[in-house]
Coordinates of all heavy atoms in Angstrom, one line a residue:
F1 N 69.7 89.9 102.5 CA 69.4 89.0 103.6 C 69.9 87.6 103.3 O 69.2 86.6 103.5 CB 67.9 89.0 103.9 CG 67.4 90.3 104.2 CD1 66.6 91.0 103.3 CD2 67.7 91.0 105.4 CE1 66.1 92.3 103.6 CE2 67.3 92.3 105.7 CZ 66.4 92.9 104.8
R2 N 71.1 87.5 102.6 CA 71.7 86.2 102.3 C 72.9 86.1 103.2 O 73.3 87.0 104.0 CB 72.1 86.2 100.9 CG 71.0 86.2 99.9 CD 70.0 85.1 100.0 NE 69.2 84.8 98.8 CZ 68.1 85.4 98.5 NH1 67.7 86.4 99.3 NH2 67.4 85.1 97.4
S3 N 73.7 85.0 103.1 CA 74.8 84.8 103.9 C 76.1 84.7 103.0 O 76.1 84.3 101.9 CB 74.7 83.5 104.7 OG 74.5 82.4 103.9
I4 N 77.2 85.0 103.7 CA 78.5 84.8 103.1 C 79.5 84.5 104.2 O 79.3 85.0 105.3 CB 79.0 86.1 102.3 CG1 80.4 85.8 101.7 CG2 79.1 87.3 103.2 CD1 80.8 87.0 100.7
S5 N 80.4 83.6 104.0 CA 81.3 83.2 105.1 C 82.3 84.2 105.3 O 82.7 85.0 104.4 CB 82.0 81.8 104.7 OG 82.9 82.0 103.6
F6 N 82.9 84.2 106.5 CA 83.9 85.2 106.9 C 85.1 85.0 106.0 O 85.8 86.0 105.6 CB 84.3 85.1 108.4 CG 85.2 86.1 108.9 CD1 84.7 87.3 109.4 CD2 86.5 86.0 108.8 CE1 85.5 88.3 109.9 CE2 87.4 86.9 109.3 CZ 86.9 88.1 109.8
V7 N 85.5 83.7 105.7 CA 86.7 83.4 104.9 C 86.5 84.0 103.5 O 87.4 84.6 103.0 CB 86.9 81.9 104.9 CG1 88.1 81.6 103.9 CG2 87.3 81.4 106.3
A8 N 85.3 83.7 102.9 CA 85.1 84.3 101.6 C 85.2 85.8 101.6 O 85.8 86.4 100.6 CB 83.8 83.8 101.1
G9 N 84.6 86.4 102.6 CA 84.6 87.9 102.7 C 86.1 88.4 102.8 O 86.4 89.4 102.2
W10 N 86.9 87.7 103.6 CA 88.2 88.1 103.9 C 89.1 88.0 102.6 O 89.8 88.9 102.2 CB 88.9 87.3 105.0 CG 90.2 87.8 105.4 CD1 90.5 88.8 106.2 CD2 91.5 87.2 104.9 NE1 91.9 88.9 106.3 CE2 92.5 88.0 105.6 CE3 91.8 86.2 104.1 CZ2 93.9 87.7 105.4 CZ3 93.2 85.9 103.9 CH2 94.2 86.7 104.5
L11 N 88.9 86.9 101.9 CA 89.6 86.7 100.6 C 89.2 87.7 99.6 O 90.1 88.3 98.9 CB 89.4 85.3 100.1 CG 90.0 84.1 100.9 CD1 89.6 82.8 100.3 CD2 91.5 84.2 100.9
L12 N 88.0 88.0 99.6 CA 87.5 89.0 98.6 C 88.1 90.4 98.9 O 88.6 91.1 98.0 CB 85.9 89.1 98.7 CG 85.2 90.1 97.7 CD1 85.5 89.7 96.3 CD2 83.7 90.1 98.0
I13 N 88.1 90.8 100.2 CA 88.6 92.1 100.5 C 90.1 92.2 100.3 O 90.6 93.1 99.7 CB 88.3 92.4 102.0 CG1 86.8 92.7 102.2 CG2 89.1 93.6 102.5 CD1 86.4 92.8 103.6
I14 N 90.9 91.2 100.7 CA 92.3 91.2 100.6 C 92.8 91.2 99.2 O 93.7 92.0 98.7 CB 93.0 90.1 101.4 CG1 92.7 90.2 102.9 CG2 94.5 90.1 101.2 CD1 93.1 91.5 103.5
T15 N 92.2 90.3 98.4 CA 92.6 90.2 97.0 C 92.3 91.5 96.2 O 93.1 91.9 95.4 CB 92.0 89.0 96.3 OG1 90.5 89.0 96.4 CG2 92.5 87.7 96.9
T16 N 91.1 92.1 96.4 CA 90.8 93.3 95.7 C 91.7 94.5 96.1 O 91.9 95.4 95.3 CB 89.3 93.7 95.9 OG1 89.0 93.7 97.3 CG2 88.4 92.7 95.2
Q17 N 92.1 94.5 97.4 CA 93.0 95.5 97.8 C 94.4 95.4 97.4 O 95.1 96.4 97.2 CB 92.9 95.6 99.4 CG 91.6 96.0 100.0 CD 91.3 97.4 99.7 OE1 90.5 97.8 98.8 NE2 91.9 98.3 100.5
V18 N 94.9 94.2 97.2 CA 96.3 93.9 96.9 C 96.6 93.7 95.4 O 97.7 93.9 95.0 CB 96.8 92.7 97.8 CG1 98.2 92.3 97.4 CG2 96.7 93.1 99.2
L19 N 95.6 93.3 94.7 CA 95.8 92.9 93.3 C 96.5 93.9 92.5 O 97.5 93.6 91.8 CB 94.4 92.6 92.6 CG 94.4 92.1 91.2 CD1 95.2 90.8 91.0 CD2 93.0 91.9 90.6
G20 N 96.1 95.2 92.6 CA 96.7 96.3 91.8 C 98.1 96.5 92.1 O 98.9 97.1 91.3
Y21 N 98.6 96.2 93.4 CA 100.0 96.4 93.7 C 100.9 95.6 92.8 O 102.1 96.1 92.6 CB 100.2 96.0 95.2 CG 99.5 96.8 96.2 CD1 99.6 96.5 97.6 CD2 98.8 97.9 95.9 CE1 99.0 97.2 98.6 CE2 98.2 98.7 96.9 CZ 98.3 98.3 98.2 OH 97.7 99.1 99.2
G22 N 100.5 94.5 92.4 CA 101.3 93.6 91.6 C 101.9 94.3 90.3 O 103.1 94.3 90.0
W23 N 100.9 94.9 89.5 CA 101.4 95.5 88.3 C 101.8 97.0 88.6 O 102.6 97.5 87.8 CB 100.3 95.4 87.2 CG 99.0 96.0 87.5 CD1 98.7 97.3 87.6 CD2 97.8 95.3 87.7 NE1 97.3 97.5 87.9 CE2 96.7 96.2 87.9 CE3 97.4 93.9 87.7 CZ2 95.4 95.9 88.2 CZ3 96.1 93.6 87.9 CH2 95.1 94.5 88.2
A24 N 101.3 97.6 89.6 CA 101.7 99.0 89.9 C 103.2 99.1 90.2 O 103.9 100.0 89.7 CB 101.0 99.5 91.2
G25 N 103.8 98.1 90.9 CA 105.2 98.1 91.1 C 106.0 98.1 89.9 O 107.1 98.7 89.8
L26 N 105.5 97.4 88.9 CA 106.2 97.3 87.6 C 106.2 98.6 86.8 O 106.9 98.8 85.8 CB 105.7 96.1 86.8 CG 105.7 94.8 87.5 CD1 105.0 93.7 86.7 CD2 107.2 94.4 87.8
L27 N 105.2 99.5 87.2 CA 105.1 100.7 86.4 C 105.8 101.9 87.1 O 105.7 103.0 86.6 CB 103.6 101.1 86.3 CG 102.7 100.1 85.6 CD1 101.2 100.5 85.7 CD2 103.1 99.9 84.2
R28 N 106.5 101.7 88.2 CA 107.2 102.7 88.9 C 108.2 103.5 88.0 O 108.3 104.7 88.1 CB 107.9 102.2 90.1 CG 107.0 101.8 91.2 CD 107.8 101.3 92.4 NE 108.7 100.2 92.0 CZ 110.0 100.1 92.4 NH1 110.5 101.0 93.1 NH2 110.7 99.0 92.0
S29 N 108.9 102.8 87.1 CA 109.9 103.5 86.3 C 109.2 104.4 85.3 O 109.9 105.3 84.7 CB 110.7 102.4 85.5 OG 109.8 101.6 84.7
Y30 N 107.9 104.3 85.0 CA 107.2 105.2 84.1 C 106.5 106.4 84.8 O 106.4 107.4 84.2 CB 106.1 104.4 83.3 CG 106.7 103.2 82.5 CD1 106.5 101.9 83.0 CD2 107.3 103.4 81.3 CE1 107.0 100.8 82.3 CE2 107.8 102.3 80.6 CZ 107.7 101.0 81.1 OH 108.2 100.0 80.4
V31 N 106.1 106.2 86.0 CA 105.2 107.2 86.6 C 105.7 107.7 88.0 O 105.1 108.6 88.6 CB 103.7 106.8 86.7 CG1 103.1 106.7 85.3 CG2 103.6 105.5 87.4
V32 N 106.8 107.1 88.5 CA 107.3 107.5 89.8 C 108.7 108.2 89.6 O 108.9 109.3 90.1 CB 107.4 106.4 90.8 CG1 108.1 106.8 92.1 CG2 106.0 105.9 91.1
E33 N 109.6 107.5 89.0 CA 111.0 108.0 88.8 C 111.1 109.2 87.9 O 111.9 110.1 88.3 CB 111.9 106.9 88.3 CG 112.0 105.7 89.3 CD 112.8 104.6 88.8 OE1 113.3 104.7 87.6 OE2 113.0 103.6 89.5
P34 N 110.3 109.3 86.8 CA 110.5 110.5 86.0 C 110.1 111.8 86.7 O 109.1 111.9 87.4 CB 109.6 110.2 84.8 CG 109.4 108.8 84.8 CD 109.4 108.3 86.2
A35 N 110.9 112.8 86.5 CA 110.7 114.1 87.2 C 109.4 114.7 86.8 O 108.7 115.4 87.6 CB 111.9 115.0 87.0
H36 N 109.0 114.6 85.5 CA 107.8 115.2 85.0 C 106.5 114.5 85.5 O 105.4 115.1 85.3 CB 107.9 115.3 83.5 CG 108.9 116.3 83.0 ND1 110.2 115.9 82.7 CD2 108.8 117.6 82.7 CE1 110.8 117.0 82.3 NE2 110.0 118.0 82.3
M37 N 106.6 113.4 86.0 CA 105.5 112.7 86.7 C 105.5 113.2 88.1 O 106.1 112.5 89.0 CB 105.6 111.2 86.6 CG 105.6 110.6 85.2 SD 104.0 110.8 84.3 CE 104.5 111.9 83.0
W38 N 104.9 114.3 88.4 CA 105.2 115.0 89.7 C 104.1 114.8 90.8 O 104.3 115.2 91.9 CB 105.5 116.5 89.5 CG 104.4 117.3 88.8 CD1 103.9 117.1 87.6 CD2 103.6 118.3 89.4 NE1 102.9 118.1 87.4 CE2 102.7 118.8 88.5 CE3 103.6 118.9 90.7 CZ2 101.8 119.9 88.7 CZ3 102.8 120.0 90.9 CH2 101.9 120.4 90.0
W39 N 103.0 114.3 90.5 CA 101.9 113.9 91.4 C 101.6 115.1 92.4 O 102.1 115.1 93.5 CB 102.3 112.7 92.3 CG 102.5 111.4 91.4 CD1 103.6 111.1 90.7 CD2 101.5 110.4 91.2 NE1 103.4 109.9 90.1 CE2 102.1 109.4 90.4 CE3 100.2 110.2 91.7 CZ2 101.4 108.3 90.0 CZ3 99.5 109.1 91.3 CH2 100.1 108.1 90.5
P40 N 100.9 116.1 91.9 CA 100.6 117.3 92.7 C 100.1 117.0 94.1 O 100.5 117.8 95.1 CB 99.6 118.1 91.9 CG 99.8 117.6 90.5 CD 100.2 116.1 90.6
S41 N 99.3 116.0 94.3 CA 98.7 115.8 95.6 C 99.7 115.4 96.7 O 99.5 115.7 97.9 CB 97.6 114.7 95.6 OG 98.2 113.5 95.2
T42 N 100.8 114.8 96.3 CA 101.8 114.5 97.3 C 102.6 115.7 97.8 O 103.1 115.6 98.9 CB 102.9 113.5 96.6 OG1 103.5 114.2 95.6 CG2 102.2 112.3 96.1
L43 N 102.5 116.8 97.1 CA 103.2 118.0 97.6 C 102.6 118.6 98.8 O 103.2 119.2 99.7 CB 103.3 119.0 96.5 CG 104.1 118.6 95.2 CD1 104.1 119.7 94.2 CD2 105.5 118.1 95.6

């Protein structure tokens, strides 16, 4: 029963959702391009 502003809530949601994308993109050469990293769920 406290308050939080819409702006603070929006920044919190967007940053937590996007933050991991920054370093994930740099890891593509390790876990996306190699054939043996096959990600069963995508099949």
Side-chain angles (χ1 to χ4, degrees):
F1 307 107
R2 298 298 203 276
S3 62
I4 182 172
S5 68
F6 188 91
V7 172
W10 186 81
L11 291 175
L12 181 63
I13 289 170
I14 298 303
T15 53
T16 53
Q17 292 292 97
V18 172
L19 180 62
Y21 292 177
W23 58 72
L26 303 174
L27 299 177
R28 288 180 303 135
S29 60
Y30 301 102
V31 291
V32 173
E33 294 178 1
H36 289 88
M37 300 290 116
W38 60 292
W39 297 83
S41 62
T42 62
L43 298 183

